[in-house]
Amino acid sequence: MLTTYQTLYHQSGLNIQNYEEEAESREYHACRFTINGFKVIGRQAKITPTKTGQFVTSWQRNKDGITEPFNEASGIDFLVIHVIKAGKMGQFIFPLARLIQKGIIHSATKAGKRGFRVYPPWDETTSKQAQKTQAWQLLYFVDLSDEVAGDFLKKTYANKTL
C-alpha cells in the first residue's frame, strides 16, 4: 500500500513520512503514517458479497490485548479508507472530529465501532440508512481518477477541521 499512497500523494506535492504497516488487519492493508504533520491511519475496504458498500475495520488492541474501537485519545487526525471496485478508485479521508460525531470513534459520549461500511459514489444505496450514511461520507470522498483529486488532497491535509 505504501507505493499506492506515495504515488497518489506525491503527485499532489504531499510527502508521506513514518509509514508503518500494521501486523494485524493485513487483509485491510492496515497502516499508519504522517503527512504534513497529521497522523493518519489507513485501511483498504473490502467488498462483501451480500451488502452494498464496502466494509472496513476500525479497531486497535488495548494494553490487555483486547480489541476495541479507536478512541479520541488514539492520537490520530485522519482515518483514510481506500476503496476500489471495477477499475474505479477513491479514498474517504475522514477527520477525527467527524468520526467521533458519527459514533465511529470512541469518546466520552459514544461507544465507537470496530468496523463500519463505506459507500463510494458508484455504489447505489437502496436503504434509507445507507443513503443517509453515504450522503455524509461523500463529503470526505475523493475520486482518485478525477483531475482535481490533487487539489482535494492538498486542501484536506492543509486543514484538519474539514
Side-chain angles (χ1 to χ4, degrees), residues 1-26:
M1 247 349 240
L2 174 60
T3 304
T4 302
Y5 284 117
Q6 284 177 324
T7 301
L8 296 169
Y9 288 32
H10 185 71
Q11 292 171 350
S12 303
L14 300 168
N15 292 312
I16 291 175
Q17 298 176 322
N18 307 315
Y19 182 89
E20 294 178 34
E21 290 183 3
E22 295 182 0
E24 293 190 280
S25 294
R26 277 199 175 124

Side-chain angles (χ1 to χ4, degrees), residues 53-121:
Q54 297 184 28
F55 182 79
V56 66
T57 61
S58 58
W59 56 266
Q60 61 191 359
R61 286 205 185 272
N62 66 21
K63 62 181 167 63
D64 298 323
I66 299 169
T67 62
E68 63 185 13
F70 289 119
N71 62 61
E72 59 188 340
S74 297
I76 62 169
D77 297 301
F78 292 99
L79 177 60
V80 174
I81 310 300
H82 195 74
V83 289
I84 301 171
K85 184 178 181 181
K88 298 173 182 155
M89 182 170 49
Q91 286 185 345
F92 291 94
I93 306 173
F94 297 120
L96 180 67
R98 187 65 160 155
L99 294 174
I100 291 169
Q101 179 189 34
K102 290 298 180 179
I104 294 168
I105 300 290
H106 174 77
S107 69
T109 59
K110 306 275 184 169
K113 298 180 180 181
R114 287 178 176 82
F116 63 102
R117 298 192 83 70
V118 290
Y119 301 96

Side-chain angles (χ1 to χ4, degrees), residues 26-75:
R26 277 199 175 124
E27 65 185 291
Y28 292 94
H29 300 280
C31 63
R32 291 174 184 256
F33 57 90
T34 56
I35 191 161
N36 283 3
F38 295 112
K39 293 179 182 175
V40 179
I41 291 178
R43 298 284 188 272
Q44 182 170 317
K46 295 174 77 174
I47 295 171
T48 57
T50 58
K51 289 188 177 182
T52 303
Q54 297 184 28
F55 182 79
V56 66
T57 61
S58 58
W59 56 266
Q60 61 191 359
R61 286 205 185 272
N62 66 21
K63 62 181 167 63
D64 298 323
I66 299 169
T67 62
E68 63 185 13
F70 289 119
N71 62 61
E72 59 188 340
S74 297

